[in-house]
Amino acid sequence: MSAPMAIELALIGIGTGNPDHLTRAAETAMRAANLILLPRKGAAKSDLIDLRRAICADVLTDTTRVVEFDLPSREAQPDYLDAVDRWHDAIAAIWAREIATHLPDGGRLALLVWGDPSLYDSTIRIARRLDARIRLSFIPGITSLQALTAAHGVPLNALAAPVLVTTGRRLRDGGWPSGVDTLAVMLDGHCAFADLPPLGVHIWWGAYLGMPHQAIDAGPLADVAARIVATRAALRAEHGWIMDTYLLRRGEDAR
């Protein structure tokens, strides 16, 4: 994947769905770009690109071009990590093609990253697959965990206690990790919380955080787990996609 020496790529965190989450640093980086690439994820997830389009229309001047591309689908195969690795290779190849097509003489490219490039997002890993001469920069954004705790009005951690950020897959396969009483769980498409022993556990859940159709729920896990599972299924059916996250806490501070 070759590219000109004079390519600069900015990965810009844009928050969790609310245009007001955009920072001044993000706006500055967007306006400085010669090209912004926007991924299309199919009709079922049109909300995601519609938001990016709206942000571009609001922030950009006529000097920045916006080009859309179709994001490839991840293969369904038993080896999850291998499937993700192949998927990232395919995305990087598309980026390299778009760079060669639209910035043949070099320039500044930007990609708008949902949330923040640092937290359970693979944009940084994909970018590092490109030509090593491309200079990368990163603009942090509001994360879904920030939006979740703000929506519920709760702190992320119990007093003087640690927090483990993990995935639904790890929670489902390994159970509650030892040595920590607060879990922030992301990328859980199968509601792993519903299979945990619920006694003494509190959950704070949120979907579409920051967006107009934001949905939140909270309470003792034994009381609300089934309701959250049903709500999540209904929302996914209604919108065609869902992005949600939740906080679990056990012990005396589980409230």
Side-chain angles (χ1 to χ4, degrees), residues 15-16 21 115-116 118-119 141-148 186 209:
T16 63
H21 287 177
D116 185 274
S118 69
L119 186 59
I142 300 294
T143 70
S144 59
L145 294 182
Q146 291 171 298
L148 175 71
M186 310 181 74
L209 292 162

Side-chain angles (χ1 to χ4, degrees), residues 173-222:
D173 293 345
W176 195 295
S178 62
V180 64
D181 289 328
T182 299
L183 305 178
V185 185
M186 310 181 74
L187 303 176
D188 186 3
H190 300 283
C191 299
F193 60 84
D195 296 324
L196 293 172
L199 184 63
V201 178
H202 198 101
I203 185 171
W204 295 267
W205 172 85
Y208 313 107
L209 292 162
M211 302 185 76
H213 44 290
Q214 171 179 289
I216 61 174
D217 202 345
L221 186 60

Side-chain angles (χ1 to χ4, degrees), residues 36-46 49 52-53 66-74 87-98 102 111 126:
I36 293 180
L37 294 178
L38 301 185
R40 291 187 295 255
K41 297 185 178 183
K45 297 184 178 181
S46 61
I49 193 167
R52 287 180 168 94
R53 288 168 178 155
V66 177
V67 172
E68 299 180 7
F69 68 94
D70 292 318
L71 196 71
S73 299
R74 192 180 74 220
W87 184 43
H88 290 172
D89 284 342
I91 295 172
I94 293 174
W95 289 2
R97 181 196 68 200
E98 298 297 330
H102 300 288
L111 290 160
I126 297 169

Side-chain angles (χ1 to χ4, degrees), residues 9-225:
L9 171 55
L11 305 182
I12 304 172
I14 61 170
T16 63
N18 186 336
D20 290 338
H21 287 177
L22 208 64
T23 65
R24 289 185 181 179
E27 293 180 356
T28 298
M30 288 178 63
R31 294 189 184 111
N34 304 117
L35 174 70
I36 293 180
L37 294 178
L38 301 185
R40 291 187 295 255
K41 297 185 178 183
K45 297 184 178 181
S46 61
D47 290 353
L48 301 179
I49 193 167
D50 285 345
L51 176 71
R52 287 180 168 94
R53 288 168 178 155
I55 288 174
C56 288
D58 185 56
V59 171
L60 296 179
T61 64
D62 293 337
T63 60
T64 300
R65 287 179 295 159
V66 177
V67 172
E68 299 180 7
F69 68 94
D70 292 318
L71 196 71
S73 299
R74 192 180 74 220
E75 298 175 3
Q77 61 185 60
D79 190 330
Y80 171 77
L81 292 179
D82 183 61
V84 171
D85 194 54
R86 292 174 182 271
W87 184 43
H88 290 172
D89 284 342
I91 295 172
I94 293 174
W95 289 2
R97 181 196 68 200
E98 298 297 330
I99 291 170
T101 300
H102 300 288
L103 292 175
D105 300 318
R108 294 183 296 274
L109 169 67
L111 290 160
L112 307 184
V113 181
W114 200 266
D116 185 274
S118 69
L119 186 59
Y120 280 105
D121 181 271
S122 290
T123 311
I124 293 175
R125 297 183 185 90
I126 297 169
R128 296 202 188 282
R129 284 167 157 79
L130 299 172
D131 191 297
R133 295 170 295 179
I134 293 178
R135 189 165 63 192
L136 301 177
S137 61
F138 312 99
I139 311 298
I142 300 294
T143 70
S144 59
L145 294 182
Q146 291 171 298
L148 175 71
T149 55
H152 285 284
V154 296
L156 180 62
N157 63 297
L159 185 63
V163 175
L164 177 67
V165 182
T166 188
T167 67
R169 179 185 297 270
R170 305 243 345 170
L171 184 61
R172 184 182 70 243
D173 293 345
W176 195 295
S178 62
V180 64
D181 289 328
T182 299
L183 305 178
V185 185
M186 310 181 74
L187 303 176
D188 186 3
H190 300 283
C191 299
F193 60 84
D195 296 324
L196 293 172
L199 184 63
V201 178
H202 198 101
I203 185 171
W204 295 267
W205 172 85
Y208 313 107
L209 292 162
M211 302 185 76
H213 44 290
Q214 171 179 289
I216 61 174
D217 202 345
L221 186 60
D223 296 343
V224 302

Side-chain angles (χ1 to χ4, degrees), residues 204-250:
W204 295 267
W205 172 85
Y208 313 107
L209 292 162
M211 302 185 76
H213 44 290
Q214 171 179 289
I216 61 174
D217 202 345
L221 186 60
D223 296 343
V224 302
R227 185 172 72 207
I228 291 174
V229 171
T231 299
R232 189 185 190 282
L235 289 171
R236 193 180 191 286
E238 177 182 355
H239 297 287
W241 65 280
I242 192 167
M243 285 198 292
D244 62 332
T245 189
Y246 55 89
L247 188 69
L248 295 170
R249 185 169 292 140
R250 66 184 182 185

